[in-house]
Amino acid sequence: VQLQASGGGLVQPGGSLRLSCVASGSIASINGMGWYRQAPGEQRELVASISRSGSTTYASSVKGRFTISRDSAKNTVYLQMSSLKPEDTSVYYCKAYVRSTWTGPVVDYWGQGTLVTVSS
């Protein structure tokens, strides 16, 4: 199973970006999916997550500005980021909990990360 994240880049404060992450490979089902971020010298932190049923959670620092969504038919999770701030600058990683066979275990996989830089 591979996760491919995309959509990062340079954006001015107050701007918007949309990240995408596509899961591919041997996939029977995907449970939760999420986005994390890690700034230099900092620990990786959860930004937002979405369950298989569509329930969402957000870090308090992004609530009201970021929206996570998923397209289960495309094995894809999105992160719409608005009102971006310089402190949102980080490498953003996607994560998915995948069952490769219907009777197999759920395994978590990470994407490779995409850099978001918020600067004027």
Side-chain angles (χ1 to χ4, degrees), residues 29-106:
S29 66
I30 300 177
N31 292 356
M33 304 183 82
W35 288 95
Y36 292 71
R37 66 186 181 187
Q38 186 169 20
E42 302 290 332
Q43 289 192 338
R44 192 171 297 187
E45 63 174 357
L46 174 68
V47 176
S49 66
I50 185 167
S51 71
R52 191 174 179 183
S53 65
S55 298
T56 58
T57 60
Y58 295 93
S60 57
S61 58
V62 307
K63 198 171 293 185
R65 300 187 298 120
F66 291 9
T67 302
I68 190 170
S69 60
R70 65 189 286 177
D71 185 333
S72 295
K74 297 181 179 180
N75 292 333
T76 301
V77 62
Y78 304 97
L79 186 68
Q80 178 66 49
M81 305 184 293
S82 302
S83 302
L84 283 160
K85 304 175 181 179
E87 51 263 43
D88 295 317
T89 296
S90 274
V91 178
Y92 284 72
Y93 299 89
C94 56
K95 184 177 183 179
Y97 293 86
V98 178
R99 195 185 300 273
S100 291
T101 64
W102 290 110
T103 57
V106 175

